[in-house]
Amino acid sequence: MTTSKPPLYTALSPALLHLYDVNHAIVVIIDVLRATSTIATALYNGAKCVIPVDCVAKCIELGRQIDGITAGERDGMIAEGLQHGNSPFEYSKEFVNGKTLVLTTTNGTKLLHMALDRGADRIITGSFPNLSAVCHYLTSQNQPVVLGCAAWKDRINLEDLLFCGAVIHQVKRQFSINCDSSQIAETVYLDAKKDLFEFIKGKNASHYHRLEGFGLEKDIRYCLTTDVADVLPVYENGKLIVI
Amino acid sequence: MTTSKPPLYTALSPALLHLYDVNHAIVVIIDVLRATSTIATALYNGAKCVIPVDCVAKCIELGRQIDGITAGERDGMIAEGLQHGNSPFEYSKEFVNGKTLVLTTTNGTKLLHMALDRGADRIITGSFPNLSAVCHYLTSQNQPVVLGCAAWKDRINLEDLLFCGAVIHQVKRQFSINCDSSQIAETVYLDAKKDLFEFIKGKNASHYHRLEGFGLEKDIRYCLTTDVADVLPVYENGKLIVI
């Protein structure tokens, strides 16, 4: 007797999210450089929760109301009026433990709100620092999955695709995958996995290029490191919390 | 002294075409299974021209007016009211020589009209059967290039991406490539190039699956064969002609 496996799809850009039915699915929001890596890190280091908001004004206003840390970037730099940026290294245990982070980023928080508006059943965030937590969760739920890449202003990027490939490689036996984007992601991941950093550097990935220009090689290396902040951020009532 | 190279971008889905500036660019329309493979084949076999139209009604009407062959598919089958389908094997020299083909397909002709509406400077069509003609043309023009995949109802597909990878692998020294989609395409192509058919079969590519279900394995094999109809279809005044 065979039991049917739930489907898994990969949306490589927010501009492709509408092609997939998220209503009964777990949507994994993926913004490897750097939003979802930073979310995992802040929560791993004891942040009470992360509240993703879609614009800087809302971030400032909410931060004031709840006495939270306001953080975020636009085009890779700390956004004007916010206290902190989007680097995981800003959110050490000493700094973030017990606090609430109000976060807005160029692509990641935007995608999360798109998934929400489209009626996603559940939303979690994924990054290499919490790869195993994501994979364990997905394989334990027996539910359809949509991997959603934040990309860069709707342009597909290499690092989000690589993370999808890493997830697919781990969970594929539990899912029915009839999705070329997923096959593409796994193929590239298998090619890259020996050394993800050297791979995206060698390919002159556009986001690598952008962040490396800001002196953020250390951030890139961290964001490509597996399981160093292995928690599962789940979106509930407007907040990302650890369950 | 360095001369600056023109950029090359890859739009893996029609839903991503708007992200790229096509105004001063050559846009390569790619619909490997099977529209652009069939276009190359019909022109190689002596068709006077191929007129791509975006709907079945227009195809029938125009075919009647100019006494052309009406051809096309919807969802992989011959569309109702048309004489012929979208298989390259229907367009032998004996049948097509000197004739005009009026063609409508699910994805390929739609993308061509999108590129046209967005003001593409020049439009050509590409497929494995005319890979070399496309590459020679692109490297001879010193002009920006956008590789546009027809995909499947906006979902990215493996075979169009593989063709982009094949082109990029051949022409990349002549272009400035700051585009992760292009890097992804070349990476997958290099993995697949030993045996493209076995690769897409092994990956259970969605389009392979669909056509194979119709008994069209022969078509798939042909459409993955390099340079067997090596002409350059160029869009001029509403027609694809060989220059």
Side-chain angles (χ1 to χ4, degrees):
Chain A
M1 204 179 88
T2 55
T3 47
S4 72
K5 297 174 180 177
L8 180 150
Y9 291 101
T10 300
L12 292 174
S13 159
L16 302 173
L17 186 69
H18 67 282
L19 300 172
Y20 306 96
D21 180 12
V22 299
N23 279 296
H24 304 284
I26 301 166
V27 178
V28 186
I29 305 294
I30 298 155
D31 189 358
V32 165
L33 294 175
R34 298 169 291 169
T36 54
S37 303
T38 296
I39 289 166
T41 303
L43 290 170
Y44 180 78
N45 284 334
K48 209 158 68 181
C49 66
V50 177
I51 305 181
V53 296
D54 55 12
C55 69
V56 172
K58 214 181 277 179
C59 188
I60 294 170
E61 176 61 23
L62 188 60
R64 190 181 298 134
Q65 284 171 16
I66 63 171
D67 194 26
I69 300 166
T70 60
E73 51 83 25
R74 284 295 177 274
D75 297 328
M77 312 284 274
I78 298 182
E80 215 184 311
L82 303 184
Q83 298 160 320
H84 292 272
N86 195 21
S87 168
F89 290 109
E90 296 185 64
Y91 303 100
S92 65
K93 203 174 184 67
E94 294 69 38
F95 175 60
V96 86
N97 190 34
K99 295 193 183 137
T100 292
L101 200 65
V102 188
L103 179 71
T104 180
T105 64
T106 313
N107 306 291
T109 49
K110 195 187 92 181
L111 177 66
L112 189 150
H113 286 96
M114 280 177 67
L116 206 59
D117 292 345
R118 300 192 65 80
D121 188 48
R122 275 188 278 182
I123 294 175
I124 65 173
T125 68
S127 66
F128 286 102
N130 69 329
L131 173 63
S132 288
V134 169
C135 292
H136 290 152
Y137 182 71
L138 297 182
T139 53
S140 70
Q141 299 300 302
N142 196 33
Q143 206 178 328
V145 167
V146 176
L147 304 177
C149 298
W152 180 262
K153 298 181 181 177
D154 285 344
R155 290 190 187 191
I156 291 166
N157 73 35
L158 199 47
E159 65 276 9
D160 291 348
L161 173 130
L162 285 172
F163 179 74
C164 293
V167 171
I168 291 159
H169 191 59
Q170 282 201 33
V171 308
K172 65 182 178 183
R173 277 170 300 277
Q174 267 81 13
F175 290 90
S176 161
I177 303 183
N178 183 19
C179 165
D180 287 14
S181 295
S182 300
Q183 300 289 359
I184 290 163
E186 193 196 9
T187 301
V188 178
Y189 169 71
L190 290 175
D191 213 54
K193 76 181 169 110
K194 256 195 185 165
D195 191 334
L196 295 173
F197 180 83
E198 284 304 320
F199 184 84
I200 72 162
K201 185 179 174 183
K203 297 291 177 192
N204 194 24
S206 53
H207 218 145
Y208 167 84
H209 205 66
R210 196 175 302 116
L211 291 177
E212 201 268 343
F214 299 144
L216 296 172
E217 184 180 312
K218 194 179 155 201
D219 281 43
I220 303 171
R221 286 189 183 276
Y222 175 86
C223 293
L224 296 174
T225 308
T226 298
D227 292 346
V228 285
D230 205 19
V231 292
L232 185 75
V234 176
Y235 189 78
E236 271 183 14
N237 304 317
K239 296 170 184 176
L240 287 158
I241 54 167
V242 172
I243 58 162
Chain B
M1 205 180 88
T2 56
T3 47
S4 73
K5 297 174 181 178
L8 180 150
Y9 291 100
T10 300
L12 291 174
S13 160
L16 302 174
L17 186 69
H18 68 281
L19 300 173
Y20 306 97
D21 180 12
V22 299
N23 280 296
H24 304 286
I26 302 167
V27 178
V28 186
I29 304 294
I30 298 155
D31 189 359
V32 165
L33 294 175
R34 298 171 289 170
T36 54
S37 304
T38 296
I39 289 166
T41 303
L43 290 170
Y44 180 79
N45 284 336
K48 210 158 67 181
C49 66
V50 177
I51 305 181
V53 296
D54 56 11
C55 70
V56 172
K58 214 182 277 181
C59 188
I60 294 170
E61 176 60 24
L62 187 61
R64 191 182 298 133
Q65 283 172 16
I66 63 170
D67 194 26
I69 301 166
T70 60
E73 51 83 25
R74 285 295 177 274
D75 297 328
M77 312 286 274
I78 298 182
E80 214 184 312
L82 304 184
Q83 299 160 321
H84 291 272
N86 195 22
S87 169
F89 291 109
E90 296 184 64
Y91 303 100
S92 66
K93 202 173 184 66
E94 295 68 39
F95 175 59
V96 86
N97 191 34
K99 295 192 183 138
T100 292
L101 199 64
V102 187
L103 179 71
T104 181
T105 64
T106 313
N107 305 291
T109 49
K110 194 187 93 180
L111 178 65
L112 191 150
H113 286 97
M114 279 177 69
L116 207 59
D117 292 345
R118 299 192 65 80
D121 188 49
R122 279 188 274 182
I123 294 174
I124 66 174
T125 68
S127 65
F128 286 103
N130 68 330
L131 173 64
S132 288
V134 169
C135 292
H136 290 152
Y137 182 71
L138 297 182
T139 52
S140 69
Q141 299 300 300
N142 196 33
Q143 205 179 328
V145 167
V146 176
L147 304 177
C149 297
W152 180 263
K153 299 181 180 177
D154 285 345
R155 290 190 187 192
I156 292 167
N157 73 34
L158 199 48
E159 65 276 10
D160 292 348
L161 173 130
L162 285 173
F163 179 74
C164 294
V167 172
I168 290 159
H169 191 59
Q170 282 201 32
V171 308
K172 64 181 177 182
R173 276 172 300 277
Q174 268 80 14
F175 290 90
S176 162
I177 304 182
N178 183 19
C179 165
D180 287 14
S181 294
S182 299
Q183 300 289 358
I184 291 162
E186 193 196 9
T187 301
V188 178
Y189 169 71
L190 291 175
D191 213 55
K193 76 181 169 105
K194 255 193 185 166
D195 191 333
L196 295 172
F197 180 83
E198 284 304 320
F199 184 84
I200 72 162
K201 185 179 174 183
K203 298 291 177 191
N204 194 25
S206 53
H207 217 145
Y208 166 84
H209 204 66
R210 197 175 301 117
L211 292 177
E212 201 269 342
F214 298 145
L216 295 172
E217 184 180 312
K218 194 179 156 201
D219 281 44
I220 303 171
R221 286 189 182 276
Y222 174 86
C223 293
L224 296 174
T225 309
T226 298
D227 292 346
V228 285
D230 205 19
V231 291
L232 185 74
V234 176
Y235 189 77
E236 272 183 13
N237 304 317
K239 297 170 185 176
L240 287 158
I241 54 167
V242 172
I243 59 164

